[in-house]
């Protein structure tokens, strides 16, 4: 286990340099349209405020690629955070000027540094620690609460933790690691994984790692058609990775050897116009007519998925089972999520891991309907694959 801010002693008057993930969507008037990530770091900010620390937040917004591009300024985020905290979050316009601002901070005050990705050295792949040493001057200790960026080996997420000690996790980071670890390493059984999304290639690591851990694996979404074609089924115009057919066969074989119950759609909603304005019908998944493509799990499949989910005690979902962005093709994903919510109410532990599955979960339900909704897309994907996350590895061990 990694040390967290709860393991620090007296930090009154000490400067906390914290990497957070407030990479939030903004509209054309630079208003925050979804503050989930900001809300997620508040427990850490409030904990450190209550302890009398001086708080300096570091974050990125978008991909300015090492250029000072005003389109990606964090100033609107500082303004929004001021409103939420009910006090001014001081905006620091550059790393070069940061020292002057930090010196004037009072105990419990919060500042936000301008976009850390304005600096090429932030994302540099080399071992040069110059930028890390420059940032380290701003704090007395380092906190990483940016799980969403923990899979990046960047200066502010990993290198800094090597030069600024103690280096500990924030409360969000601690919760993410705990919830994902418990689901993967110590699940109450039966343990069911729902793996969806478009491509087998992007989920090979997830599938391989989970087959060693789960009792049931539900495979949905676009990647299912690669499995169906590998079995000799007709998939029409459905999305398929022909270079992954042997991989799909190998995964099915491994599931069989491990005694994992692999659950695949038996029927599917198909259309010949992906926009949803054309005809759409339910057909058997291995008999999709030419010109049609699968866009959602069928009615029988939804019921079969729900039955497995509701009999589970631990559920991990990574990816939707249909093109849920279009309301006409959202019923399968909605039905799966409803089953997860029902199972959670009945005492199961549910973890929604990253990216599109989080978008779907938030679209149809509330975060509190699940045991844990991860804030990290790529990070949770790599964690579920069993990879080491640089931003976690660099922190001090308990």
């Amino acid at each position: 286990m990694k040390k967290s801010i709860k393991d620090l002693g007296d930090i009154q008057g000490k400067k906390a340099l914290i990497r957070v993930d407030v990479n939030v969507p903004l509209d054309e008037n630079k208003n925050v349209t979804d503050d989930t990530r900001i809300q997620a770091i508040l427990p850490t900010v409030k904990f450190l405020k209550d302890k009398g620390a001086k708080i300096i937040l570091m974050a990125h917004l978008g991909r300015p690629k090492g250029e000072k591009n005003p389109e990606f300024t964090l100033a609107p985020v500082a303004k929004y955070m001021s409103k939420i905290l009910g006090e001014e979050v001081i905006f620091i316009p550059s790393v070069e000027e940061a020292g002057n601002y930090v010196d004037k901070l009072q105990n419990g005050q919060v500042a936000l540094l301008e976009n850390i990705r304005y600096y090429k050295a932030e994302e540099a792949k080399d071992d040069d620690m110059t930028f890390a040493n420059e940032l380290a001057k701003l704090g007395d200790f380092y906190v990483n609460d940016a799980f969403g960026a923990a899979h990046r080996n960047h200066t502010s997420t990993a290198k800094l933790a090597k030069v600024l000690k103690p280096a500990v996790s924030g409360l969000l980071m601690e919760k993410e690691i705990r919830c994902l670890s418990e689901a993967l390493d110590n699940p109450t059984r039966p343990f069911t994984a729902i793996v969806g999304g478009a491509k087998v290639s992007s989920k090979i690591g997830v599938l391989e790692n989970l087959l060693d851990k789960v009792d049931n694996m539900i495979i949905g979404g676009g990647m299912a058609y690669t499995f169906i074609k590998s079995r000799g089924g007709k998939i029409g115009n459905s999305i398929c990775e022909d270079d992954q057919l042997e991989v799909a066969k190998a995964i099915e074989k491994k599931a069989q050897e491990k005694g994992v119950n692999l659950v695949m759609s038996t029927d599917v909603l198909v259309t010949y116009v992906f926009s949803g304005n054309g005809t759409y019908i339910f057909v058997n998944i291995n008999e999709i007519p030419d010109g049609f493509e699968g866009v959602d799990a069928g009615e029988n499949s939804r019921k079969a998925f729900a039955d497995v989910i509701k009999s589970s005690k631990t559920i991990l979902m990574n990816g939707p089972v249909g093109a849920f962005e279009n309301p006409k093709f959202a019923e399968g994903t909605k039905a799966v999520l409803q089953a997860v919510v029902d199972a959670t109410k009945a005492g199961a532990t549910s973890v929604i891991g990253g990216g599109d599955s989080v978008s779907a979960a938030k679209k149809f339900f509330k975060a509190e309907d699940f045991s844990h909704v991860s804030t990290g897309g790529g990070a949770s994907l790599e964690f579920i694959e069993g990879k080491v996350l640089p931003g976690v590895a660099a922190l001090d061990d308990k």
Side-chain angles (χ1 to χ4, degrees):
M1 284 299 288
K2 295 296 181 180
K3 280 187 179 168
S4 88
I5 51 175
K6 292 186 285 201
D7 298 308
L8 298 168
D10 178 15
I11 51 172
Q12 185 163 348
K14 294 271 205 292
K15 301 186 293 274
L17 187 57
I18 315 175
R19 179 57 158 99
V20 292
D21 180 9
V22 289
N23 186 23
V24 293
L26 303 169
D27 64 18
E28 61 279 3
N29 298 318
K30 298 290 182 198
N31 295 312
V32 174
T33 56
D34 179 353
D35 72 352
T36 306
R37 284 177 166 160
I38 294 172
Q39 294 290 347
I41 63 159
L42 291 183
T44 295
V45 172
K46 286 174 178 167
F47 180 93
L48 293 167
K49 272 176 73 63
D50 291 345
K51 295 274 184 190
K54 300 169 180 180
I55 298 158
I56 305 106
L57 305 173
M58 292 176 295
H60 74 279
L61 186 74
R63 296 188 173 171
K65 299 185 174 146
E67 304 289 335
K68 294 188 178 183
N69 181 343
E71 189 194 330
F72 298 107
T73 179
L74 276 167
V77 177
K79 195 171 146 196
Y80 186 87
M81 287 182 74
S82 302
K83 206 164 66 183
I84 287 188
L85 284 170
E87 63 183 75
E88 188 193 358
V89 170
I90 294 149
F91 181 64
I92 303 176
S94 72
V95 171
E96 293 80 7
E97 301 162 81
N100 300 330
Y101 285 84
V102 170
D103 289 344
K104 293 177 189 147
L105 282 181
Q106 303 296 310
N107 293 1
Q109 265 193 313
V110 183
L112 175 64
L113 186 60
E114 179 59 286
N115 197 333
I116 199 74
R117 286 191 184 169
Y118 277 5
Y119 300 87
K120 280 196 166 57
E122 162 65 1
E123 298 179 72
K125 300 273 192 284
D126 55 37
D127 295 325
D128 188 344
M129 300 297 272
T130 311
F131 190 48
N133 287 320
E134 192 180 341
L135 290 172
K137 290 176 193 159
L138 304 176
D140 294 313
F141 62 95
Y142 171 77
V143 181
N144 194 342
D145 211 27
F147 182 73
H151 59 310
R152 306 281 184 209
N153 193 11
H154 292 169
T155 298
S156 69
T157 57
K159 285 184 188 173
L160 190 50
K162 292 173 183 152
V163 293
L164 181 57
K165 296 289 184 185
V168 300
S169 70
L171 300 179
L172 172 65
M173 176 74 87
E174 186 182 44
K175 186 184 178 208
E176 290 274 12
I177 297 167
R178 185 182 71 248
C179 291
L180 286 165
S181 296
E182 280 174 5
L184 291 169
D185 302 331
N186 194 22
T188 309
R189 298 192 177 277
F191 177 17
T192 297
I194 304 152
V195 186
K199 294 180 171 179
V200 174
S201 55
S202 65
K203 296 283 171 93
I204 295 169
V206 168
L207 293 165
E208 292 273 353
N209 195 35
L210 287 175
L211 281 175
D212 290 329
K213 301 173 187 291
V214 301
D215 303 296
N216 307 298
M217 182 178 283
I218 294 170
I219 292 182
M223 61 196 283
Y225 306 108
T226 301
F227 282 87
I228 299 303
K229 187 170 180 179
S230 78
R231 295 174 179 177
K234 281 182 62 189
I235 60 163
N237 281 10
S238 303
I239 186 169
C240 179
E241 293 174 286
D242 287 332
D243 59 343
Q244 300 293 326
L245 296 175
E246 291 308 312
V247 171
K249 280 182 191 165
I251 286 166
E252 290 216 50
K253 186 167 178 271
K254 185 176 176 182
Q256 210 173 352
E257 287 165 1
K258 300 249 173 207
V260 173
N261 174 29
L262 204 60
V263 189
M264 205 97 60
S265 291
T266 50
D267 62 335
V268 65
L269 183 70
V270 298
T271 181
Y272 62 85
V273 184
F274 192 73
S275 67
N277 296 329
T279 305
Y280 39 97
I281 50 172
F282 289 107
V283 298
N284 286 337
I285 196 165
N286 53 1
E287 295 170 1
I288 298 175
D290 292 342
F292 281 80
E293 62 179 313
V295 286
D296 196 10
E299 290 169 330
N300 296 334
S301 303
R302 293 169 202 172
K303 187 180 179 318
F305 292 169
D307 288 345
V308 172
I309 292 164
K310 286 179 186 175
S311 68
S312 306
K313 290 281 179 256
T314 304
I315 303 146
L316 175 65
M317 181 169 179
N318 189 271
V321 299
F324 75 93
E325 296 84 356
N326 185 328
K328 291 174 181 173
F329 310 143
E331 291 306 315
T333 298
K334 209 190 288 186
V336 164
L337 284 163
Q338 182 67 61
V340 176
V341 169
D342 293 344
T344 310
K345 280 183 187 153
T349 298
S350 57
V351 178
I352 309 292
D356 289 338
S357 37
V358 171
S359 304
K362 289 199 311 209
K363 187 172 182 176
F364 305 123
F365 296 95
K366 297 195 289 288
E368 47 270 31
D369 291 327
F370 309 93
S371 307
H372 179 63
V373 177
S374 181
T375 54
S380 61
L381 191 67
E382 291 195 17
F383 196 98
I384 296 164
E385 283 180 45
K387 289 184 178 170
V388 172
L389 305 183
V392 177
L395 300 175
D396 299 348
D397 292 316
K398 280 205 191 225

